[in-house]
Amino acid sequence: RLPVPKLEDTITRYLNAQKPLLNDDQFRKTEELARAFEKGIGRELHEQLVAQDNQNKHTSYITGPWFDMYLKAREPVVLNFNAFMSFNPDPKPEYNDQLIRATNMTVSAIRFMKTFRAGYLEPEVFHLNPEKSDTEIFKKIIRFVPSSISWFGAYMVNAYPLDMSQYFRLFNSTRLPKLNKDELYTDEKAKHLLVLRNGNFYVFDVIDRDGNMLKPSEIQAHLKYILSDNSPAPAFPLGYLSSENRDTWALLRKNLLENGNEEALQKVDSAMFCLSLDDFPIKDFVHVSHTMLHGDAANRWYDKSFNLIITKDGTAGVNFEHSWGDGVAVLRFQNEVFKDSTKAPAISPQSQPASVDSSRAVQKLDFKLNDALKAGITKAKQKFDATVESLSLNLIQFQEGGKELLKQKKVSPDAVAQLAFQMAFLRQYDQTVATYESCSTAAFKHGRTETIRPASVHTKKCSEAFVKELSKHSTEELQKLIMECSKYHGRLTKEAAMGQGFDRHLFTLRYLALSKGLPLPDFYQDQAYARLNHNIISTSTLVSPAVQLGGFGPVVADGFGVGYQVHDDWIGCNVSSYPTRNGKEFLQCVHKSLEDIFNVLKGKKIGS
């Protein structure tokens, strides 16, 4: 179970995170408020939380408040919450044809779903010592141990089973807009797929009456039929509504339902997933990011648990809604789909589509729109287009080293990437700001995420040495400063993964106070608390053989959304920003910082 940290540990960790962001006077004030909270109302709230947690052993203390945080948010899900991960191309070029890849990935996704629902999906396990635990012998033995104690057997060999409670929401699921708080809807009985092309909506069954998957050649035939349909794009594409403010969308949805669209919407909401087929090829990585992060809202349904997007040249990616689950569940799905569709593809470029009557099997959904709905779609389109217009996406690939060299030098690769972001921001804006790094707590029942706070007194000191006082430090001193950052970041990462961060705990205590109708404690009214939670640098990382790149929008208007990957011999970084920040310049500073760090670790003297 996810532990509730000790209150005194949480306050200490919170103050450690505040230190690099405040001057001495500000810090004294924040420390006073924190200590008063720890002794007073904070202690009462903490005890209530612990008692509540003990009565709800079937779940975790973060589950309810975290769902609420997502589902009560009224901002559009696209660019504010939905993230994307794009697939690597199929290693066999001829398999990257749009129809071939769409068929193979759809078949693999259905295979994954059927395996999961039948209870045959291999458990997600984090192996600290894979030689011992990631073996056939261990798997055979552990299979016969009763599940109530099998996790303990796994712990003995340093293997940690991860929570998979989010997986069932991958399929047949949608976030429904409702006034004040949205709802998650899942209908596991539905047998159809939703396909979007050119702003038109199509559905067809991919599972037959006996629960078996349609033949791949039939799925291929139906997709081919959709790809060759010449219907014009709708004048008022419905997809735009899923990009709206949630309350606005909730009212428009009510209107849609009252206007005779109940059956069509039911098909959209209950579909296995949304396959979006785009009619253009990809130009470059920045184009991939724009296409997968937002694309054309006419050809997306952002409320589905995920959209599988495949462009004209077979470039594929997933855009996923975030309230139902986190990156780990989506990544597992993508890894399996990539592996299955490339290693055991259902069809080949030589395969012929089945001779079936697709015009009967495929239903094109027709939506009845009144003037209010047409006006709603037009307004949604204007807002969406303006937001996308103001969004910049920039990328770099740092080719001068990666994980291998850093491990050789005994420094944490993740710590180095995070240090480079701190250094870059200092070089560009001359300040240290609130920074967020997401860390999964799936090692616990119903765990979600915890925050690592990469901006520390160590990174600040090290960044200042590199950016402002280079001439005062020898290479050995700079190496030592990097080592200190690495050690401290390693500790923070371990704490977060073990449920020992401070962010979720403080978030839940605040949630508890408000849900009990108590006045908001002074601690939470501190400007420093607000500033720490205004995450100007928001970061997330993953590396996988299936994934080419990942990214998300900035979480605040004056922020950067940083998706990064530390590979064996290179580092990739993908940054989103709005006009108040310059993402291109930030990445140039990141590149310079990485160059400096790598040179220092190699023992080279660097010039300013």
Side-chain angles (χ1 to χ4, degrees), residues 553-598:
V555 296
V556 291
D558 60 339
F560 289 126
V562 184
Y564 64 103
Q565 299 171 298
V566 185
H567 296 273
D568 285 344
D569 52 3
W570 63 282
I571 296 171
C573 197
N574 189 6
V575 169
S576 61
S577 57
Y578 292 117
T580 50
R581 297 278 178 204
N582 185 335
K584 193 172 182 184
E585 189 181 275
F586 175 68
L587 282 182
Q588 286 164 349
C589 295
V590 169
H591 198 280
K592 162 92 175 111
S593 304
L594 286 170
E595 230 165 50
D596 288 352
I597 295 167
F598 272 79

Side-chain angles (χ1 to χ4, degrees), residues 315-334:
T315 302
V318 162
N319 175 295
F320 67 97
E321 198 281 311
H322 219 320
S323 64
W324 65 270
D326 302 303
V328 265
V330 182
L331 186 62
R332 171 71 188 269
F333 167 73
Q334 285 193 244

Side-chain angles (χ1 to χ4, degrees), residues 274 276 299-302 304-309 317-319:
C274 176
S276 296
N299 218 41
R300 302 284 182 271
W301 195 254
Y302 301 114
K304 281 307 274 180
S305 52
F306 69 90
N307 286 246
L308 173 60
I309 301 155
V318 162
N319 175 295

Side-chain angles (χ1 to χ4, degrees), residues 323-435:
S323 64
W324 65 270
D326 302 303
V328 265
V330 182
L331 186 62
R332 171 71 188 269
F333 167 73
Q334 285 193 244
N335 285 341
E336 298 284 3
V337 165
F338 183 76
K339 194 167 101 186
D340 190 63
S341 65
T342 54
K343 298 233 162 62
I347 65 162
S348 75
Q350 287 71 45
S351 305
Q352 287 304 309
S355 39
V356 284
D357 186 358
S358 293
S359 65
R360 286 185 59 189
V362 178
Q363 181 194 357
K364 182 162 169 265
L365 299 180
D366 197 27
F367 296 94
K368 302 174 190 68
L369 305 176
N370 56 25
D371 290 348
L373 287 164
K374 287 176 182 173
I377 290 171
T378 304
K379 199 169 169 201
K381 182 179 184 337
Q382 287 164 350
K383 281 204 250 177
F384 175 83
D385 290 348
T387 308
V388 163
E389 190 57 41
S390 70
L391 176 81
S392 297
L393 294 175
N394 291 278
L395 281 107
I396 54 160
Q397 288 181 332
F398 174 80
Q399 302 284 7
E400 291 154 54
K403 204 184 290 178
E404 278 178 4
L405 189 126
L406 295 172
K407 285 193 163 167
Q408 235 173 305
K409 302 287 177 194
K410 301 201 167 22
V411 290
S412 145
D414 191 57
V416 165
Q418 289 290 347
L419 175 60
F421 304 149
Q422 293 302 314
M423 250 181 228
F425 200 89
L426 187 73
R427 191 179 291 277
Q428 190 180 6
Y429 296 106
D430 195 25
Q431 60 184 143
T432 297
V433 291
T435 307

Side-chain angles (χ1 to χ4, degrees), residues 503-550:
D503 279 85
R504 299 299 173 270
H505 188 195
L506 291 178
F507 171 85
T508 313
L509 295 178
R510 181 178 185 276
Y511 175 91
L512 194 61
L514 294 175
S515 69
K516 295 228 184 286
L518 299 170
L520 191 63
D522 294 346
F523 170 78
Y524 292 108
Q525 298 190 47
D526 182 7
Q527 267 179 323
Y529 180 84
R531 226 178 7 246
L532 182 68
N533 286 288
H534 183 86
N535 291 299
I536 289 175
I537 307 175
S538 184
T539 73
S540 188
T541 185
L542 57 97
V543 173
S544 144
V547 174
Q548 184 181 49
L549 71 158

Side-chain angles (χ1 to χ4, degrees), residues 23 42 86 100 147 166 168 179 231 239-240 253 305 314 317 378-379 438 448 458 487 518 543 606:
N23 65 32
S86 69
I100 303 286
S147 61
Q166 299 173 0
F168 83 100
L179 286 174
S231 303
Y240 282 103
R253 181 185 159 87
S305 52
T378 304
K379 199 169 169 201
S438 176
R448 293 280 319 227
H458 303 281
K487 218 165 106 184
L518 299 170
V543 173
I606 54 169

